[in-house]
Amino acid sequence: MNLELQARRQIELDLRVALAEGEFHLLYQPQVNLTSGRIIGCEALLRWNHPVRGPVPPSEFIPIAEEAGLIPAIGDWALRRACHEAAGWRSDVKIAVNMSPAQFKNPNLPHNVVLALAASGLPAERLELEITESLLLQDNDTTMATLHRMRELGVGIALDDFGTGYSSLSYLRRFPFDKIKIDQTFVREMTTDADCMSIIQSVIDLAHTLRMKTTGEGVETVQQKDSLQVAGCTDAQGFYFFRPMSGKQIADLLAPGANRETAA
Ligand code: C2E
Ligand code: MG
Ligand code: MG
């Protein structure tokens, strides 16, 4: 346990300098509309290239960064970087940025978003923030006010990883999300487990009734893609379509004349 604590402490110390040392970068994973086959957005995914340990997965360092109070700075960097990158893409492609609850607790978040949009020239409508249920669990007035402020700005809000937490229906009532992202644990089993398929179908139907879009996450096979499409899911994302890729690769993929996106 002591060793584990020491390792964690070391990661925390290393994270404190990682931003200044330029050790972070973003990858982008396309999101595809299931009807048209077109790329409608890309999700920005944070990567940390540790000078000694090499790539550290976000599942490992983000919880530590959250606890150490480093997320507001790292999150703000990611937001600015993602908006800047997306401003150069085709104008019908959105950028989705993951947000930690700690960022929403900061009353300056709307201001930071406005600054990131202004600095990049990206229209607010092309930015989508992904939040998880854990944010709504805390349910305080600041969080709700911030969510509504984002909506006023024109920024989209997606509920990420739906199905993994409490999946409380009351969250869907409390805020009019633009999109529900169905977690990959459900998508993975949907073609082998009839109950799983029924749950996904219900979530898609519910979202449809509430005028929210749906994105199936972690689509790896054509069967999963087809089942989501038949169920009426709006969009999908996963290795079947595209793996997360560099800004340069995305720019090439989205360049006029590049017609590889409908290949899947
Ligand atoms: P997420 O937001 O649910 O992101 C989707 C994750 O699924 C990404 O993992 C992506 O690489 C992975 N993925 C996409 N398609 C497939 C597939 O077909 N199969 C499988 N097995 N996996 C797939 P990644 O990049 O490791 O990110 C993990 C989590 O870390 C994200 O989950 C998100 O919660 C968090 N994260 C990533 N970037 C940021 C960030 O900038 N800020 C914050 N706060 N969290 C972030
Ligand atoms: Mg996400
Ligand atoms: Mg997710």
Side-chain angles (χ1 to χ4, degrees), residues 19 24-26 46-47 71-82:
L19 201 53
F24 291 115
H25 67 277
L26 295 176
L46 188 60
R47 295 291 178 264
I71 277 293
I74 298 173
D76 197 44
W77 175 86
L79 176 70
R80 284 168 164 271
R81 179 78 217 140

Side-chain angles (χ1 to χ4, degrees), residues 180 202-214 231-232 234:
I180 297 176
S202 308
V203 172
I204 292 171
D205 292 345
L206 182 67
H208 189 72
T209 312
L210 296 170
R211 292 174 300 283
M212 297 173 187
K213 291 182 180 158
T214 39
T234 333

Side-chain angles (χ1 to χ4, degrees), residues 186-194 196-197 221 223-224 227:
F186 281 90
V187 173
R188 206 171 297 145
E189 292 189 20
M190 66 186 293
T191 49
T192 50
D193 180 341
C196 207
M197 188 64 232
T221 67
Q223 290 85 356
Q224 291 166 350
S227 301

Side-chain angles (χ1 to χ4, degrees), residues 14-157:
D14 294 344
L15 272 172
R16 287 189 187 279
V17 297
L19 201 53
E21 294 295 324
E23 290 165 12
F24 291 115
H25 67 277
L26 295 176
L27 293 184
Y28 302 88
Q29 186 178 36
Q31 303 173 327
V32 175
N33 178 279
L34 281 171
T35 310
S36 67
R38 277 178 76 81
I39 295 172
I40 45 102
C42 293
E43 178 175 6
L45 296 162
L46 188 60
R47 295 291 178 264
W48 180 24
N49 207 5
H50 188 281
V52 180
R53 299 178 52 187
V56 185
S59 53
E60 199 175 318
F61 73 80
I62 284 176
I64 299 177
E66 275 171 345
E67 259 180 46
L70 299 169
I71 277 293
I74 298 173
D76 197 44
W77 175 86
L79 176 70
R80 284 168 164 271
R81 179 78 217 140
C83 288
H84 176 78
E85 194 87 48
W89 300 342
R90 231 174 45 204
S91 63
D92 59 338
V93 177
K94 293 188 181 194
I95 178 77
V97 181
N98 290 287
M99 290 273 138
S100 287
Q103 288 173 272
F104 267 80
K105 278 194 213 134
N106 178 359
N108 279 334
L109 182 66
H111 182 65
N112 292 345
V113 168
V114 169
L115 287 181
L117 292 170
S120 62
L122 188 80
E125 292 69 29
R126 286 181 59 199
L127 174 65
E128 187 166 75
L129 303 181
E130 295 195 1
I131 63 158
T132 56
E133 282 180 277
S134 55
L135 176 74
L136 301 168
L137 258 181
Q138 304 162 4
D139 190 26
N140 63 44
D141 292 346
T142 318
T143 305
M144 274 299 149
T146 307
L147 281 172
H148 284 286
R149 180 78 189 103
M150 294 300 168
R151 173 53 58 77
E152 286 161 20
L153 289 172
V155 173
I157 306 284

Side-chain angles (χ1 to χ4, degrees), residues 160-161 181 183 217:
D160 203 358
D161 304 341
K181 297 191 78 179
D183 191 67
E217 294 192 82

